[in-house]
Structures are given as C-alpha cells and as structure tokens.
Amino acid sequence: MKIPEILMIETVHQPGSLAKVLLVIADAGLTIDHLQALRRGQGRTLWEITLEMDEEADRSLYDRIDALPIARFVGHSDRVFDRHRGGKIRTVSALPINTQQVLRDVYTPGVARVCLAIRKDPEQARQYTSIGSTVAIVTNGTAILGLGNIGALAGLPVMEGKAALFSTLVGLNAVPILLDETEPQKCIDHIAAIAGSFGAIQLEDFAAPACFEIESGLRARLDKPVLHDDQHGTAVVVLAATLNATRRAGRDLGDCVIGQIGLGAAGSGIVRLLMHEGIRHMLGTDLDEGACRRFAGMGGELAPLEDIMKRSDIVIATTGVRGLIKPPMVRKGQIIMALSNPDPEIEPAVALQNGAAIAADGKGINNVLGFPGLFKGALAANAKSFTDQMLVAAAKSIASQALGDDLVPDPLNLEVHQLVSTAVEAAVCRPRCLPCPVGCWAGGGERANPVAGLSERATHPPSKRPDEKSTPSSVSRHS
C-alpha cells in the first residue's frame, strides 16, 4: 500500500543541488507527490519532499541521499499527523455569547419558549435548531478506505475529514458517529434511535453486503435523507466522469459495453446508476458469489476478468487489489477507471502507455465531488429521501463543470458544490409536468424505482405545492 512518506532534506544553496537529490529519488523508481522549500539560510535550503512509497520499499534511499556531498537527510516530517493533532473539527457557537441577556436568551430561561414552540409544532425545529443543516456521518469501521475492517475508532479520522469537507465546501455541520455494532438490524435500530438530532444521515464505510440491508432499512424507517456514500456518492462521480470520457472519445454511452470489476458497495452502486441511465450491456465480476448473484439479479452479465478486459469499451475497477489489471490486458482505445485508493488496479500512466484512450484513478474520480452538494441540496429542499433523479442531476452538474479535457472539475472550487446543490434541489422540487427518469411525482406515497431500489417519494417542502413552477437547474448540459 502506498502511503505518503514525507522527507526533510537539506541541500547546499547552489545550482544543481536539488536536481541531484531528485535524481537519486528517480533512480529508486519513486514518484514525487509534493515538493516545498521550508526555509533558506546560511547557504542551505531545507526541503520537504513527499514521496509515494510502499510500506515495504527499500529505505536505503535515505543513506544514498545522505551520501551526496551537497545534501543531508534530516529526517521525516510529521505534517500529516500535525494536521490531525487535536482533531480536524470543532463545535462553535453561531453567535457571540457576551452579555447576560444573550446568555439568558440562548440558554435558560429564554430557551424554554423555543422548546415549547417545537413541542407544539415539531416543524419549527428546522427553523430554530441546527437540524436542517446538520448531517450525521455514521460508520462501524468495517470497510475503511482500502484498509478494510479496522474498526470504527480507527476510522474516526476519515469521518472527521468528511465533516471538515462538509463545513468547508457547503457550510453544513456534520457529526461523526462511531457505531460499535456489525449486525445489520441492530445498526438500523441504533442509527434510527439517534436520527432525530440530524437532518440527514450519511452512512460511511459499512462493508457489503450488510451495507445494503442497513441503508434499505433506514430508508424505510426514517422520513429524512439517508445515503450510503460508498455506493451512491461514488456512483454519481463515476457517472459524471463517464459522461465526459465518452464525449471526449466520441462515443455514445448507451452503445458502450461497460465492465465493472469488483461488485461490492461501490461497484454495485455504480452498476445500479449506470443501468438507470440506460446502459444496456454491463459485464461484471467479483470473487464473492453473493455479489455476483446480486449483479446478475440487476440484469448484468457475469464474465471472468480476462473477458471483461477483452470485450469492454469502458472498464471500471473498484476491487481494492493493487495491480490487478496487467498492462497486456489493456485493449487499444479503452476507457479505464481504476478507482481503488490508495493503490489503483492499474496506474493511469501505465494504462495509457498500453493503448488506453483515457485512464483515471480514484485520486481524481473521488466522491468528494458528490456528497457535499447532494446533502446540501437535499436539506435545502427539505427532501424526505434521496432519489435517482437527484443523483443523476448531481452527476450531470459535475460533468458540465469539468474544464477542457478533464473528466471532473476541481473539488476545491466552491462554485462546483454550490451548482451541484442547486441541481439536486431543483430535482427534488421539479414540477410534475416535467419528465423524470423513473416516473413523475404522483402527489403522495412512494413509487419504486425498478432498477435502483431507491424511491420517488413526495419530497416537496411544505411551502411548495406540487404544481408550483420552479426553475430547472441550468447547470446540466449533458442530457
């Protein structure tokens, strides 16, 4: 597994010094992820060099750098740990509490008036508490990144990172919730028991197949948006990238054969959404027989890895197995997305060298482009659930904002997330006279999506009648 190794190296401040250090690194076959000069003085420069290194890589590199007459290996940087020290999120007051009057208003005795108002009309909680802008990020730690079942506590840094992204990118509050439970029904019960504190629930890093039962059970039980991000957030961004990849390659997405390698949570979510968008021919494979049966039940064709690589126009891999796709397997002109993190099934550069028309990995095709706007839009519209219409709106918004030949836009561009949010909100509030992918809003109850298992539920905010006009999103140009 490749984990960033951050080296501190001092060089003599003269032409060619840094180049000699970088040459040693290149000779070791390592890739430089980041390079920064930290300070310069007394004729020397201290550099911070971030490398992509396997845990088992030969560390004699340090001695070879130290042996250079113009350089000295100082040690390792704790930059990553320093940025996690004390946690990455804070709870702060939304207003200054600096007088006795403010104290009495926001706490006792004034708060009692608000409590009684909410008891009389629970809908008032959206206006007078943070529920309408707060998401629970819940994990049981059974499928953390590519690390596997490392437990909920070890996964907390990931959940804090998600919470920090919610705050930074769309201004939502998010609270990590660690669940010490793996039995699906108990997970459902525990999450449902605390759901009243939140406007929406994001399920994170629950392993398959339990994740499907947990999400389905919570969606049926709760009258608020629930989304397993590993499935649907990933699927949204993959759909966006696929729309742009086929556009770049001059292909019709509906005519492409798509191969999905890995049919766990992410793979199943990708298959489901692509089929919803009209993909007629999907090949798939997985080592797990249950996952294969689930895929076949969705209408996919099971095939071995070698056949998928031979027959597919687009290959999407979510296996967590580094180097699974061998260079000779790549067919000329293929689109390949090897999305496992931190190590892809094939490096994009290698895929391109062996004939792929377009190649990408999970560092770029990442669900950080999806989940912030999805939840922001759902909460803004007071949606009662997520629907495929909302997911597709998000994907098309993301696709429309990619620049040049990029498959997806910059995730740090705040406007991207705002436009995704607007598109999702418009999909919730779209008037029923407009066509929608899975059937029009019917004024009440649920309409099951035959492909997705998601539903089209009456999700209009109380203040908006179903027949009111609302402006469709203008950011979706791929339709």
Side-chain angles (χ1 to χ4, degrees):
M1 177 179 295
K2 290 183 178 178
I3 294 178
E5 189 92 354
I6 307 167
L7 312 183
M8 306 288 286
I9 296 172
E10 186 181 75
T11 63
V12 176
H13 184 50
Q14 65 184 37
S17 293
L18 178 61
K20 292 176 181 177
V21 172
L22 300 183
L23 183 60
V24 171
I25 294 171
D27 288 343
L30 299 174
T31 300
I32 295 175
D33 187 62
H34 184 73
L35 174 66
Q36 182 180 6
L38 297 181
R39 67 172 181 266
R40 180 174 295 152
Q42 298 181 338
R44 293 183 175 274
T45 304
L46 181 64
W47 300 93
E48 182 183 78
I49 303 177
T50 304
L51 305 179
E52 290 184 353
M53 293 184 74
D54 294 325
E55 292 175 301
E56 64 273 13
D58 181 7
R59 262 54 180 183
S60 65
L61 166 73
Y62 309 151
D63 295 330
R64 295 197 298 275
I65 292 174
D66 219 22
L68 294 171
I70 46 77
R72 181 172 68 93
F73 175 67
V74 177
H76 294 84
S77 167
D78 286 330
R79 186 188 70 212
V80 171
F81 280 91
D82 288 344
R83 287 177 174 168
H84 285 75
R85 198 176 305 281
K88 301 188 291 289
I89 56 176
R90 300 284 185 272
T91 300
V92 297
S93 175
L95 70 164
I97 303 174
N98 49 18
T99 70
Q100 283 293 324
Q101 187 60 66
V102 173
L103 175 61
R104 290 167 63 83
D105 287 348
V106 301
Y107 194 48
T108 185
V111 71
R113 292 187 58 200
V114 183
C115 295
L116 294 173
I118 293 171
R119 183 181 68 175
K120 183 177 180 181
D121 178 11
E123 283 296 319
Q124 295 293 314
R126 284 185 59 84
Q127 182 173 357
Y128 295 113
T129 75
S130 62
I131 282 179
S133 58
T134 302
V135 178
I137 305 174
V138 188
T139 189
N140 66 356
T142 51
I144 300 293
L145 300 177
L147 304 174
N149 185 1
I150 63 173
L153 181 60
L156 180 56
V158 178
M159 308 309 128
E160 286 194 353
K162 291 268 188 178
L165 290 170
F166 268 121
S167 175
T168 300
L169 300 177
V170 293
L172 291 179
N173 310 308
V175 180
I177 304 292
L178 305 183
L179 204 59
D180 187 19
E181 181 59 69
T182 57
E183 199 280 312
Q185 188 55 53
K186 290 182 179 179
C187 288
I188 293 168
D189 292 340
H190 293 331
I191 296 168
I194 62 168
S197 299
F198 306 98
I201 307 294
Q202 176 172 330
L203 301 175
E204 187 69 28
D205 294 339
F206 283 81
C211 62
F212 305 116
E213 181 180 346
I214 293 167
E215 184 189 48
S216 177
L218 286 169
R219 286 178 54 81
R221 189 159 166 180
L222 299 178
D223 195 27
K224 61 185 61 185
V226 177
L227 191 79
H228 183 209
D229 188 44
D230 304 88
Q231 292 182 65
H232 310 300
T234 303
V236 162
V237 183
V238 169
L239 174 57
T242 304
L243 290 170
N244 281 335
T246 50
R247 173 186 57 80
R248 275 182 55 187
R251 296 177 180 173
D252 185 329
L253 178 58
D255 294 335
C256 290
V257 176
I258 299 183
Q260 175 62 48
I261 304 170
L263 299 169
S268 294
I270 292 166
V271 167
R272 194 192 57 73
L273 193 60
L274 289 176
M275 284 185 165
H276 175 272
E277 276 300 277
I279 299 301
R280 294 182 290 273
H281 197 173
M282 288 211 70
L283 308 176
T285 188
D286 196 285
L287 295 177
D288 183 80
E289 292 184 3
C292 291
R293 287 194 298 271
R294 190 166 55 244
F295 175 70
M298 296 167 71
E301 177 187 346
L302 290 167
L305 173 62
E306 292 76 12
D307 284 1
I308 288 176
M309 294 304 299
K310 289 177 182 177
R311 297 168 56 191
S312 299
D313 303 304
I314 302 170
V315 176
I316 303 167
T318 56
T319 65
V321 180
R322 177 189 177 190
L324 178 67
I325 299 175
K326 308 304 180 187
M329 295 179 176
V330 177
R331 181 163 60 81
K332 184 176 175 59
Q334 275 181 327
I335 296 168
I336 296 181
M337 300 183 196
L339 303 181
S340 293
N341 280 321
D343 301 313
E345 288 78 3
I346 186 170
E347 293 289 346
V350 174
L352 292 171
Q353 289 166 6
N354 285 271
I358 298 170
D361 61 17
K363 296 180 182 67
I365 313 302
N366 193 285
N367 57 15
V368 69
L369 279 161
F371 70 82
L374 280 165
F375 278 89
K376 179 75 170 182
L379 288 170
N382 196 15
K384 304 306 178 188
S385 65
F386 280 103
T387 66
D388 278 337
Q389 189 171 341
M390 295 160 71
L391 302 186
V392 171
K396 291 183 175 180
S397 176
I398 293 167
S400 72
Q401 297 180 70
L403 300 177
D405 287 338
D406 291 342
L407 299 184
V408 292
D410 180 359
L412 295 180
N413 182 345
L414 299 186
E415 185 179 8
V416 169
H417 301 282
Q418 181 55 55
L419 291 174
V420 171
S421 169
T422 300
V424 171
E425 184 178 2
V428 175
C429 302
R430 187 170 296 156
R432 61 179 172 178
C433 60
L434 293 179
C436 65
V438 290
C440 293
W441 183 81
E446 289 190 355
R447 181 166 186 162
N449 181 330
V451 175
L454 294 178
S455 63
E456 294 300 317
R457 184 180 294 181
T459 53
H460 297 276
S463 61
K464 182 168 288 191
R465 300 189 309 275
D467 59 348
E468 273 187 3
K469 300 292 183 182
S470 64
T471 305
S473 169
S474 61
V475 300
S476 175
R477 65 171 182 254
H478 293 279
S479 58

